[in-house]
Amino acid sequence: MSGLRCWALCEPACAADALAVLKVEPRWRAWREAARADYEGYAAPVEVKSALNLSHLYRHLADTVPQDAIIANDAGNFAIWLHRFYRHRRFATQVGPTSGAMAMRYPRPSARSLQHPEREVYAVLGDGCFMMAGNELATCVRHNVAITILLVDNSSFGTIRMHQERHYPKRVHATDLSNPDFVAYAKSFGIWAKRVERTEDFPTALAEARGLNAPALLHIKTDVEDIAPGVTISGLRAR
């Protein structure tokens, strides 16, 4: 082992080669395999009641975009689906709020796109977040910021609605949203936009947005019933 110790001090690659020839059976192999199986099971798509399944949508996004694509998410229940089913594969590819602040998804991804014009940048936000700063679409157009906006719309402040249903079932207050036509709104700024209402329609819409090299918006319409992965409004009320 003296030679191995010497290599470890001098050259990490040599130390790795030396360790590779050692026949060691780690005692934690079974634990590791079980933990890996738990992780992969947790990241597997879930069933939903509506026509659009966010777990499949985010898995497709991860399987399609480059590994260095930057994903900037806002705060909300839609981000629970993103964090569970989108797999980051490179360092510094995630931008998100640490304090739960809403409506920060335009400045940060726009800055990242201008800073890294060679990389794809996606802004993922909910309808409540979007309505707090929708006018920032003008900034994207003015500076030709080539970001793709994934606007997840369930016509609700989803996180607050979920807590209302948990603690005060059927006593919903001030969380339903009356939204505009987001596609028409984006087009009024000169931005390409498309509405996606079914899981199977997302791959084509994403491919169209990626081919533009310009601001784009995908209006992803979901049902508030599927409030979180494996959690439904009716299920919360039943409990």
Side-chain angles (χ1 to χ4, degrees), residues 164-239:
Q164 288 179 343
E165 295 288 357
R166 278 179 172 168
H167 301 289
Y168 308 100
K170 301 182 182 181
R171 295 173 60 185
V172 178
H173 179 70
T175 50
D176 290 335
L177 299 176
S178 299
N179 290 323
D181 183 332
F182 288 118
V183 170
Y185 183 76
K187 288 183 175 180
S188 72
F189 286 88
I191 291 178
W192 180 92
K194 194 166 190 174
R195 184 180 173 98
V196 178
E197 297 183 87
R198 303 183 306 166
T199 305
E200 56 266 34
D201 295 334
F202 179 72
T204 300
L206 178 65
E208 291 182 62
R210 293 182 65 210
L212 296 174
N213 194 32
L217 183 144
L218 295 181
H219 176 201
I220 300 166
K221 192 71 180 78
T222 64
D223 193 329
V224 71
E225 170 68 8
D226 296 304
I227 195 66
V231 181
T232 62
I233 295 294
S234 56
L236 289 172
R237 290 182 175 182
R239 289 162 58 184

Side-chain angles (χ1 to χ4, degrees), residues 6-165:
C6 180
W7 283 356
L9 290 173
C10 299
E11 188 64 49
C14 292
D17 291 339
L19 288 169
V21 303
L22 296 177
K23 302 300 181 182
V24 178
E25 183 67 22
R27 290 176 295 177
W28 43 264
R29 180 185 295 277
W31 173 85
R32 179 191 63 79
E33 291 176 349
R36 180 68 188 184
D38 284 345
Y39 165 73
E40 291 182 351
Y42 182 74
V46 299
E47 296 297 321
V48 300
K49 293 188 175 182
S50 60
L52 194 143
N53 190 326
L54 285 175
S55 63
H56 286 291
L57 184 149
Y58 288 133
R59 284 294 293 270
H60 176 78
L61 184 69
D63 292 340
T64 303
V65 303
Q67 292 190 5
D68 67 347
I70 298 172
I71 311 296
N73 66 272
D74 214 287
N77 267 31
F78 65 90
I80 297 175
W81 298 81
L82 175 70
H83 299 326
R84 179 167 171 176
F85 302 107
Y86 183 90
R87 185 172 299 177
H88 290 272
R89 293 147 293 166
R90 292 281 182 87
F91 177 71
T93 58
Q94 179 185 13
V95 181
T98 57
S99 60
M102 298 172 65
M104 59 183 295
R105 278 319 95 217
Y106 293 116
R108 286 193 174 181
S110 297
R112 292 295 183 271
S113 181
L114 294 174
Q115 184 181 11
H116 301 286
E118 77 286 357
R119 297 168 65 179
E120 294 185 19
V121 179
Y122 294 85
V124 185
L125 66 164
D127 47 333
C129 305
F130 183 89
M131 289 301 290
M132 293 181 180
N135 58 307
E136 288 299 332
L137 290 180
T139 304
C140 296
V141 173
R142 183 175 183 84
H143 298 284
N144 192 32
V145 180
I147 64 173
T148 298
I149 300 166
L150 305 183
L151 197 173
V152 182
D153 170 19
N154 63 1
S155 298
S156 176
F157 287 122
T159 303
I160 304 171
R161 172 68 182 275
M162 182 175 67
H163 289 301
Q164 288 179 343
E165 295 288 357

